[in-house]
Amino acid sequence: MDSFIDLFSGIGGFHIALKQKGLNCVFASDIDKAASTAYKRNFGLDSHSDICQIGNAEIPQHDILCAGFPCQPFSRSGKRKGLNDDRGRLFYEIVRIAKHHKPMLMILENVRTILTIDNGKIKKEIYKSIKNLGYHLDHVILNASEFGIPQKRERVYFVAIKNDCPLKFASPKPNKKKRYLRDILVKGNHSNLIVNRTDIVIEKHGVQDKALKPIRIGYLNKGGQGERIYSVNGHAITLSADGGGVGHRTGLYYVDNKVRRLHIDEAKQCMGFDKDHIVSDGISGYRQLGNAVIPTMISHIYDNILSST
């Protein structure tokens, strides 16, 4: 295998992982102009296009089809309309392209709730659609916290292998690497990220215990979503594209006796990107990271696709 396509490419999580494995990206597509601008700056490849408007013949032949297809229709924080949502139906664009090009392998990523919403009907439809194309399909739920990424981020990874390919998939084993939010903090006063309010409550001062998960130590207001405060001796909560509340998109953390959101460079590292990886300025950059696929996790998936011969 030496080539792949990157559908719903965002800022390039799949691209980073597979390029590091020596593969060449021959096509990328994302309807979001800002994300595509960042993608081109990082990789020199134009990804700005609506996949629904791209014909099969316009897509080069490839060995691997990669897609972190839109998760909002399946997310707890979304309306969970599933495949009835226009974005959810983009799954069938994957089916269309795979039916025409018949890649050896497909690697897909989404939120774990895609497996259970609508009483499991979405999962059944995914399995049925891909198996009907002539593929064996497996899926695994992995938490990035167990693989050296300082963020609790549970995602489901689908691996589809063409029936006539001598490959098999084994679930990656967590390495439990001891890396914490404290290890990636960016120095500075970060005044624009600090939350100054009179209703901040720190329930657990001086927490020294470390854990490969978020450690909640306080709250503000009523402690709802985006109002909980966490220790830097643990992990970040799941970064989101559109999460609300005071700690929108990153969550709130107690750093040097102050409560603040994460710096963009900290958010990058919580997603397994280097600090020099380019994202858009301001809120758009956080949104792009919240929508991204973690490169490290794709590397683990790829490394566990083994030859059966």
Side-chain angles (χ1 to χ4, degrees), residues 208-232:
Q208 299 298 321
D209 291 342
K210 295 182 179 180
L212 301 181
K213 62 181 181 180
I215 303 173
R216 183 176 172 180
I217 60 171
Y219 64 95
L220 52 78
N221 194 26
K222 297 180 180 180
Q225 185 177 11
E227 298 176 337
R228 299 155 196 161
I229 302 167
Y230 298 87
S231 168
V232 294

Side-chain angles (χ1 to χ4, degrees), residues 19 37 39 102 109 126 129 149 157 164 191 198 230 234 288:
K19 183 178 180 180
T37 297
Y39 193 96
K102 297 179 172 58
E109 184 256 25
I126 289 172
S129 298
I149 300 295
Y157 300 87
D164 60 0
S191 58
T198 59
Y230 298 87
Q288 289 159 11

Side-chain angles (χ1 to χ4, degrees), residues 50-245:
D50 180 354
I51 195 61
C52 299
Q53 304 300 319
I54 302 294
N56 292 328
E58 298 177 72
I59 300 173
Q61 196 64 31
H62 50 278
D63 299 312
I64 305 176
L65 183 156
C66 300
F69 57 109
C71 67
Q72 289 87 348
F74 314 105
S75 172
R76 292 182 187 276
S77 60
K79 295 183 179 180
R80 302 176 72 176
K81 293 184 177 180
L83 296 177
N84 292 320
D85 187 294
D86 287 343
R87 294 166 298 179
R89 296 191 65 80
L90 289 172
F91 167 74
Y92 294 111
E93 295 300 312
I94 297 171
V95 173
R96 167 180 69 88
I97 294 166
K99 182 177 181 180
H100 179 85
H101 285 283
K102 297 179 172 58
M104 294 173 61
L105 175 68
M106 288 185 272
I107 306 175
L108 314 178
E109 184 256 25
N110 214 291
V111 293
R112 64 176 298 172
T113 49
I114 196 173
L115 301 175
T116 56
I117 62 171
D118 201 11
N119 295 317
K121 291 181 181 179
I122 302 298
K123 174 187 171 183
K124 291 179 181 178
E125 177 62 18
I126 289 172
Y127 266 80
K128 177 183 175 182
S129 298
I130 291 180
K131 285 186 174 182
N132 284 346
L133 296 176
Y135 289 81
H136 175 75
L137 180 63
D138 287 306
H139 76 270
V140 61
I141 297 172
L142 300 176
N143 183 354
S145 279
E146 299 182 334
F147 292 86
I149 300 295
Q151 177 199 177
K152 178 185 177 183
R153 192 176 187 87
E154 293 180 305
R155 290 294 184 265
V156 58
Y157 300 87
F158 294 96
V159 176
I161 299 172
K162 199 176 175 186
N163 286 341
D164 60 0
C165 289
L167 300 171
K168 61 181 180 179
F169 174 65
S171 179
K173 295 181 179 180
N175 56 31
K176 302 285 186 178
K177 183 178 179 181
K178 294 182 179 180
R179 190 164 180 246
Y180 308 99
L181 193 55
R182 177 176 294 283
D183 298 328
I184 65 166
L185 293 180
V186 176
K187 294 181 179 180
N189 60 22
H190 308 305
S191 58
N192 61 317
L193 303 173
I194 293 173
V195 176
N196 289 307
R197 292 177 50 144
T198 59
D199 58 351
I200 292 174
V201 176
I202 303 299
E203 301 171 297
K204 300 176 183 178
H205 284 276
V207 173
Q208 299 298 321
D209 291 342
K210 295 182 179 180
L212 301 181
K213 62 181 181 180
I215 303 173
R216 183 176 172 180
I217 60 171
Y219 64 95
L220 52 78
N221 194 26
K222 297 180 180 180
Q225 185 177 11
E227 298 176 337
R228 299 155 196 161
I229 302 167
Y230 298 87
S231 168
V232 294
N233 287 328
H235 281 185
I237 61 171
T238 303
L239 272 62
S240 65
D242 299 298

Side-chain angles (χ1 to χ4, degrees), residues 30-45:
D30 199 298
I31 199 169
D32 187 291
K33 188 174 182 179
S36 297
T37 297
Y39 193 96
K40 188 169 185 178
R41 291 180 67 190
N42 283 301
F43 308 113
L45 181 64

Side-chain angles (χ1 to χ4, degrees), residues 244-308:
V246 181
H248 55 85
R249 296 181 173 84
T250 74
L252 296 173
Y253 304 91
Y254 197 52
V255 185
D256 296 332
N257 298 315
K258 296 178 182 178
V259 174
R260 68 170 175 87
R261 295 182 293 274
L262 295 181
H263 185 277
I264 191 67
D265 287 346
E266 295 164 346
K268 288 178 186 179
Q269 292 182 87
C270 280
M271 288 297 297
F273 290 87
D274 291 337
K275 288 190 290 185
D276 60 358
H277 191 83
I278 297 169
V279 299
S280 296
D281 294 333
I283 292 298
S284 292
Y286 286 98
R287 181 180 297 117
Q288 289 159 11
L289 288 165
N291 278 328
V293 176
I294 296 179
T296 303
M297 303 309 295
I298 301 305
S299 293
H300 284 295
I301 293 292
Y302 182 82
D303 288 343
N304 280 269
I305 298 170
L306 311 169
S307 174
S308 60

